[in-house]
Amino acid sequence: MEKITTIGLDLAKSVFQVHAIAEDGHVAVRRALRRSQVLEFFRQIEPCLVGIEACGSAHYWANAIGEFGHTVRLMPPAYVKPYVKRNKTDAADAEAICEAVTRPTMRFVPIKSPEEQAASMVLKTRELFVRQRSQTANAMRAHMAELGIIAATGMTSIAKLIAVLRDDRDERLPNSARTALLEMAEQIEKLTARVEALDTKIVAAVKVDEAARRLTTIPGVGPIIAATVRAAVPDPAAFRTGRDLAAWIGITPRANSSGGKERLGKISKQGNKQLRTLLIVGATSILKQVRRGVKLPAWVVSLIARRPYKVAAVALANKMARTIWALLVKGGIYQRATPSVIV
C-alpha cells in the first residue's frame, strides 16, 4: 500500500467510512469498514494524521487509534460541515473531515483519557439526578396546588409538602392522590440521597486535586464548579486568553459586526451549558451578598446600579471564567482585592 499521510474517519454505530490521502495528494483509500475492522485497518498503516469529528465515541476511538502511533485530531462537527461538497453522505463526510483536519486555522478538541471521561460521567450523573428531582418536585407541587395545598418554589418547601402527605389527619387529600404523591415523595428523597452521595465523592476528589483546590479560592467557585472545570477543560493552555475560555463557555456577547461598526448582542450560549449554568449560579450567590451588607468591588457595585441584575450576574460569571483560566495557566491562588465600596 502506498504511503498515506492523512485520513478522514467518519464514525458510526456499525459502518465507518474512511477517506485517505497519499503523499502526492490523490485519494488512496475510499471505503467502508465494519466496526470490527477499524482497529485492524489502522494497525496496518504507517503513522499518519487522522481526523475525526468530536462525538459520543470519538474519545475512545482517538485513544485506541493513537496507540498505533497515529496523530489523531478531534474537530467540532460544525467546523467540518463547510467542507462537505453538495449532498451529505458518509463518504462525503469522511472526505470533508480529511480536508478540514489539514487546515492551519482549524480548532481541535482535546482528547480525554478514560479517567477524564469518568470524572465527567460522575458530574453528568449528578446533573441528571438533580434534574429528575426538580421535575418530580415540580410535578408534586403542581398536583397538590390543584387541591389547594400551596408551597413556595424551591426544594426547602418540598419538605413541608411531604409532611402534609404523611399526615393522615389532613383530610384535604383523597386517599388515591395521597398514595400516588407519596411515591413522588419517596422518589425525591432517594434522588436527594444519591445527589448527596455523589457530592461527597466530588468533594473528596477536589481535595486531592491541587489545581481544583486552587480554583475554590475564587469567590463563587465551589467544589462542583472546580470539578466541572477540571473535567470539561483538560487543557486550559489550549485557550490563548481567558476571554477565549469565556467565549467557549458561551458567556460572551454574540457579535454581528460589519463595516467597522461593532454590534454586540446577547450572550452566545454556545459551548458547555453545564459549566455556564454553574458559573452564573456562582456569580448570583456573590451578588446576593449585597443584601447582607458585604463589601464588594467597586466595579460590581457600579454594574449592579446601571444594569439589570441578571446582566450583572453574567458579567461576573465572565470575570470568574477569565480568573479560572489565569489560575490554571499561570498558577497561584486567587488574591482578594481590597473592596472599596460598602453596600
Side-chain angles (χ1 to χ4, degrees), residues 303-314:
L303 186 62
I304 296 174
R306 68 179 190 273
R307 300 303 301 271
Y309 184 83
K310 290 185 178 181
V311 173
V314 172

Side-chain angles (χ1 to χ4, degrees), residues 212-223 225-226 278-287 289 294-297 299-300 313 315-324 327 333-339:
R213 288 201 311 271
R214 290 191 290 107
L215 292 182
T216 57
T217 62
I218 303 173
V221 176
I225 295 180
L278 289 173
L279 285 174
I280 294 176
V281 171
T284 303
S285 68
I286 296 177
L287 297 184
Q289 297 178 7
V294 178
K295 297 179 180 179
L296 293 176
W299 75 271
V300 176
L316 184 55
N318 186 302
K319 176 71 172 179
M320 291 166 58
R322 288 182 278 137
T323 305
I324 287 171
L327 262 62
I333 63 173
Y334 180 80
Q335 302 293 331
R336 295 177 181 269
T338 303

Side-chain angles (χ1 to χ4, degrees), residues 178-205:
R178 188 187 303 275
T179 300
L181 294 175
L182 279 173
E183 294 289 339
M184 288 189 177
E186 292 178 2
Q187 180 71 1
I188 291 171
E189 292 173 342
K190 290 178 180 178
L191 289 171
T192 299
R194 291 174 179 174
V195 170
E196 291 174 351
L198 289 175
D199 285 345
T200 301
K201 294 181 180 179
I202 293 171
V203 171

Side-chain angles (χ1 to χ4, degrees), residues 226-287:
T228 304
V229 170
R230 294 292 289 155
V233 191
D235 183 18
F239 298 96
R240 187 173 54 86
T241 64
R243 179 174 172 79
D244 290 346
L245 174 60
W248 176 77
I249 297 173
I251 48 179
T252 54
R254 183 188 295 272
N256 185 23
S257 304
S258 179
K261 296 181 180 180
E262 290 193 1
R263 298 181 181 88
L264 301 180
K266 300 179 180 179
I267 60 173
S268 66
K269 293 186 179 181
Q270 296 176 349
N272 194 305
K273 180 180 179 180
Q274 181 185 17
L275 183 54
R276 179 172 64 252
T277 301
L278 289 173
L279 285 174
I280 294 176
V281 171
T284 303
S285 68
I286 296 177
L287 297 184

Side-chain angles (χ1 to χ4, degrees), residues 36-322:
S36 58
Q37 299 173 320
V38 174
L39 294 182
E40 184 61 29
F41 173 82
F42 284 98
R43 183 183 289 110
Q44 297 175 357
I45 294 178
E46 294 184 20
C48 63
L49 176 63
V50 180
I52 303 175
E53 284 185 326
C55 61
S57 60
H59 294 282
Y60 162 75
W61 288 110
N63 286 314
I65 294 172
E67 292 180 356
F68 303 134
H70 299 288
T71 301
V72 185
R73 293 285 183 267
L74 302 185
M75 298 168 288
Y79 294 166
V80 177
K81 186 176 180 180
Y83 294 92
V84 177
K85 300 180 180 68
R86 286 189 173 271
N87 299 324
K88 181 187 183 305
T89 63
D90 290 346
D93 287 347
E95 180 181 353
I97 294 170
C98 187
E99 173 70 19
V101 74
T102 61
R103 298 300 90 199
T105 58
M106 178 57 61
R107 297 178 181 177
F108 300 107
V109 177
I111 300 173
K112 293 183 179 181
S113 65
E115 292 74 19
E116 291 170 336
Q117 289 178 278
S120 297
M121 291 176 190
V122 173
L123 293 163
K124 290 177 181 178
T125 300
R126 179 189 181 276
E127 182 186 16
L128 174 63
F129 288 161
V130 170
R131 187 165 62 248
Q132 289 177 341
R133 184 179 62 177
S134 298
Q135 292 172 346
T136 307
N138 290 337
M140 187 175 74
R141 182 186 293 108
H143 289 320
M144 296 185 73
E146 294 177 2
L147 298 173
I149 304 174
I150 307 299
T153 58
M155 293 304 300
T156 305
S157 301
I158 293 299
K160 299 178 182 178
L161 294 180
I162 294 177
V164 172
L165 288 173
R166 290 176 174 163
D167 184 3
D168 296 333
R169 296 171 297 178
D170 195 317
E171 299 179 352
R172 291 177 293 177
L173 284 168
N175 291 333
S176 58
R178 188 187 303 275
T179 300
L181 294 175
L182 279 173
E183 294 289 339
M184 288 189 177
E186 292 178 2
Q187 180 71 1
I188 291 171
E189 292 173 342
K190 290 178 180 178
L191 289 171
T192 299
R194 291 174 179 174
V195 170
E196 291 174 351
L198 289 175
D199 285 345
T200 301
K201 294 181 180 179
I202 293 171
V203 171
V206 169
K207 288 182 179 179
V208 299
D209 188 333
E210 185 269 340
R213 288 201 311 271
R214 290 191 290 107
L215 292 182
T216 57
T217 62
I218 303 173
V221 176
I224 301 299
I225 295 180
T228 304
V229 170
R230 294 292 289 155
V233 191
D235 183 18
F239 298 96
R240 187 173 54 86
T241 64
R243 179 174 172 79
D244 290 346
L245 174 60
W248 176 77
I249 297 173
I251 48 179
T252 54
R254 183 188 295 272
N256 185 23
S257 304
S258 179
K261 296 181 180 180
E262 290 193 1
R263 298 181 181 88
L264 301 180
K266 300 179 180 179
I267 60 173
S268 66
K269 293 186 179 181
Q270 296 176 349
N272 194 305
K273 180 180 179 180
Q274 181 185 17
L275 183 54
R276 179 172 64 252
T277 301
L278 289 173
L279 285 174
I280 294 176
V281 171
T284 303
S285 68
I286 296 177
L287 297 184
K288 286 183 179 179
Q289 297 178 7
V290 172
R291 304 171 185 172
R292 307 170 189 170
V294 178
K295 297 179 180 179
L296 293 176
W299 75 271
V300 176
V301 177
S302 174
L303 186 62
I304 296 174
R306 68 179 190 273
R307 300 303 301 271
Y309 184 83
K310 290 185 178 181
V311 173
V314 172
L316 184 55
N318 186 302
K319 176 71 172 179
M320 291 166 58
R322 288 182 278 137

